[in-house]
Amino acid sequence: DSACTLVLVETAEEDRSLDLIRREAANRDLPVWTWSTARALTRDGGEPQYGTDTVHQALAAIGSLPGPGVFVIADGHDALADQIVVRKVKELTATFDETRTLVMTAPVHVTPPELASIAHVWRLRPPDADELDSLVERTLASLESRGFEIRLDDGGRARIVTSLRGLSLAQAQHLLHRVTVRDGIFHY
């Protein structure tokens, strides 16, 4: 929702959630900035911003950046354990309009009471059949390009997608590779 200035994303699939966030931001012509403890605040395609190594510094920098954007803080559950961060998030998002959104990712969020009325919690569902089919297509093409033999009958790909339902994309990809590595041939 474009009017939501604070989104708490619950997911064990951080890469997948970032892909979805980037796609939606691109649809709205919004730049995406990410921050994590391992990498300072960085605009997609750019270099880390100097002096944004801590979440406190990153939030201050986000507040001073002009213009629209989607600002993603990885491991938000750790950051929200700090009451100063909670206050900074509340004050920062109060200044945002519909072109600016703060997103905090985590495997699980406990929404601080101070943010409950402004935060939208988004729990990422397992991938749907289209996402799994796309993964199967990419994975099989990658395996084939590396010399693995692919043996599928007419309904094989659909059966693979069905059998992967309920897994994360990372789990599904790992399983596809594991089945192939066993004997060098992918067959179903």
Side-chain angles (χ1 to χ4, degrees), residues 68-87:
V70 177
F71 308 95
V72 181
I73 304 292
D75 299 322
H77 61 301
D78 291 336
L80 291 177
D82 180 340
Q83 286 303 304
I84 295 170
V85 170
V86 171
R87 171 49 68 179

Side-chain angles (χ1 to χ4, degrees), residues 47-168:
E47 293 296 316
Q49 299 297 297
Y50 177 76
T52 60
D53 295 328
T54 70
V55 72
H56 296 273
Q57 293 168 325
L59 291 170
I62 291 167
S64 68
L65 288 170
V70 177
F71 308 95
V72 181
I73 304 292
D75 299 322
H77 61 301
D78 291 336
L80 291 177
D82 180 340
Q83 286 303 304
I84 295 170
V85 170
V86 171
R87 171 49 68 179
K88 285 182 178 184
V89 166
K90 184 175 181 177
E91 290 179 2
L92 176 64
T93 58
T95 68
F96 283 5
D97 62 15
E98 68 278 352
T99 67
R100 294 172 63 87
T101 301
L102 181 65
V103 178
M104 302 182 86
T105 67
V108 176
H109 273 294
V110 176
T111 307
E114 301 89 339
L115 302 178
S117 65
I118 59 172
H120 174 76
V121 177
W122 174 41
R123 289 175 183 89
L124 189 61
R125 293 186 195 119
D128 63 19
D130 290 339
E131 284 180 283
L132 289 170
D133 186 61
S134 177
L135 172 72
V136 169
E137 180 180 350
R138 288 190 318 270
T139 303
L140 293 180
S142 171
L143 289 168
E144 195 167 36
S145 73
R146 295 186 329 217
F148 287 96
E149 184 179 342
I150 307 298
R151 294 183 193 164
L152 286 178
D153 62 27
D154 291 340
R157 190 159 137 186
R159 287 192 309 277
I160 293 168
V161 168
T162 299
S163 68
L164 296 174
R165 295 294 299 251
L167 298 178
S168 71

